[in-house]
Amino acid sequence: MTHRPRPALEEQRTASDPGSLRALAALLDDPMPVRIVDVGANPIDDQPQYATLLSTGLGRVVGFEPQHDALARLRQLAGPHETYLPYAVGDGAPHELRICASDGFSSLFEPDAAQLELLTDFPKLAQVVQREQVPTVRLDDITEIDGVDLLKMDVQGGELAILDGGEEQLRDCVAVQTEVGFHRLYEGAPTFGDVDRKLRDLGLRPAAFVSVRTWPLAPTQWADPWESDARQLVEADVLYVRDLTSMAQWTPGQLKSLALIAHSSYRAVGLALRCLDQLTRAGDMPKDALMAYRSLTTPSPR
């Protein structure tokens, strides 16, 4: 879900600056651009986590957005490394798209009125204003994708269908950023445990919370002096990465891609260092690469 007032955003990992990313790419000997797939690319909030990869030419994205107005905005703002397609990615079967009053709530799942009523303003934000029959396409059947290094999903309950229909495309994927629900907003939609189990089955492990969002429980309103003490955990964006214990079997391309993703999009210096360490152990980078990378970054305040 993408539309939230600022007070609901509890935590946000920030992207790196373009200069340090270019310097890292030079250390990595001009790696191939990171292949990004963004399912549910609706541009409601700020720039995506991978924006620096795009602006430096070190990443390219194929994004999917079935809502017509949102797709038009994406295409209007697209840079040279961005391609956006109108597909609804899922299990390959037709489904009903529920378009809601706030389009960040639109979903292939029916909003759950009882669960929404618990959260201030959610019933009106998630009110269904239009219904459309839409075909869906399996990730593995999309010919415009030639591999995935980073998958980003923001699909209001459609995560499992995408993962089930994309196992071949995701075989070499090193990172997934997905929204997960802790408070179920849609009837029959998967929540965090379901998505976590599937990603682990695909060889991916949780690495970091990218953002965490809470919301006041009704009847508490935003202007209430007790609002900050009335918050319910609703959802989060979580970064998953390929199991780090298997790094010795990764290709140099996978290691370089994760190093770029970790540094540029999530300030995950530990992940980047781990990738560089493996590359030096395999003889694919000089021994002083780790110290050279450390010189590019400034530690966060403790």
Side-chain angles (χ1 to χ4, degrees):
M1 172 177 320
T2 50
H3 183 65
R4 293 285 183 273
R6 289 289 175 197
L9 190 61
E10 301 294 318
E11 176 185 339
Q12 179 74 56
R13 282 189 171 244
T14 56
S16 68
D17 64 280
S20 66
L21 178 57
R22 291 190 185 98
L24 173 58
L27 279 177
L28 295 170
D29 194 22
D30 298 322
M32 295 294 291
V34 174
R35 300 167 298 178
I36 305 161
V37 170
D38 190 339
V39 184
N42 192 343
I44 295 177
D45 280 347
D46 292 335
Q47 291 182 321
Q49 295 289 133
Y50 53 77
T52 308
L53 285 168
L54 297 182
S55 67
T56 56
L58 291 166
R60 49 189 173 85
V61 63
V62 179
F64 300 95
E65 179 51 61
Q67 297 185 70
H68 306 302
D69 291 346
L71 179 65
R73 291 196 299 272
L74 283 165
R75 287 177 166 173
Q76 181 181 10
L77 298 172
H81 308 296
E82 301 171 67
T83 301
Y84 296 104
L85 301 170
Y87 309 151
V89 183
D91 60 7
H95 291 273
E96 184 177 75
L97 174 64
R98 285 82 166 175
I99 299 174
C100 295
S102 174
D103 58 1
F105 283 79
S106 298
S107 174
L108 298 179
F109 288 83
E110 187 72 22
D112 188 324
Q115 296 292 332
L116 292 167
E117 190 276 331
L118 296 173
L119 300 165
T120 299
D121 294 336
F122 267 38
K124 63 181 180 183
L125 293 171
Q127 181 182 0
V128 177
V129 296
Q130 185 177 345
R131 298 174 184 268
E132 293 181 5
Q133 290 297 317
V134 296
T136 66
V137 182
R138 296 172 68 251
L139 200 61
D140 282 344
D141 297 333
I142 298 174
T143 58
E144 291 90 343
I145 298 174
D146 61 357
V148 185
D149 298 312
L150 169 63
L151 171 67
K152 178 247 175 187
M153 295 188 292
D154 187 356
V155 289
Q156 291 75 53
E159 297 85 6
L160 288 186
I162 293 166
L163 295 172
D164 286 338
E167 293 189 7
E168 187 61 34
Q169 289 277 21
L170 299 174
R171 184 183 300 275
D172 298 320
C173 179
V174 294
V176 173
Q177 178 186 323
T178 182
E179 184 180 76
V180 294
F182 296 95
H183 183 109
R184 186 172 56 79
L185 303 177
Y186 303 91
E187 296 177 3
T191 53
F192 169 67
D194 306 303
V195 177
D196 178 74
R197 187 178 304 110
K198 178 63 182 181
L199 286 166
R200 288 176 184 271
D201 289 344
L202 293 174
L204 296 142
R205 304 290 185 267
F209 283 101
V210 180
S211 63
V212 177
R213 288 179 287 274
T214 63
W215 203 266
L217 283 167
T220 305
Q221 299 298 309
W222 289 101
D224 194 309
W226 294 100
E227 177 266 314
S228 63
D229 299 303
R231 296 289 189 90
Q232 165 80 10
L233 176 62
V234 176
E235 61 195 10
D237 287 292
V238 183
L239 174 67
Y240 282 74
V241 300
R242 188 149 300 280
D243 187 350
L244 300 181
T245 65
S246 67
M247 269 189 165
Q249 286 77 53
W250 295 16
T251 66
Q254 286 177 300
L255 292 164
K256 292 178 180 182
S257 290
L258 183 56
L260 291 172
I261 292 166
H263 174 82
S264 67
S265 301
Y266 303 101
R267 194 175 171 80
V269 173
L271 280 176
L273 283 169
R274 187 85 184 180
C275 293
L276 269 60
D277 182 59
Q278 184 61 44
L279 287 163
T280 60
R281 290 172 183 268
D284 294 310
M285 289 190 74
K287 295 295 184 183
D288 62 353
L290 272 73
M291 289 304 298
Y293 174 65
R294 285 177 179 271
S295 71
L296 302 176
T297 60
T298 303
S300 299
R302 292 189 177 184

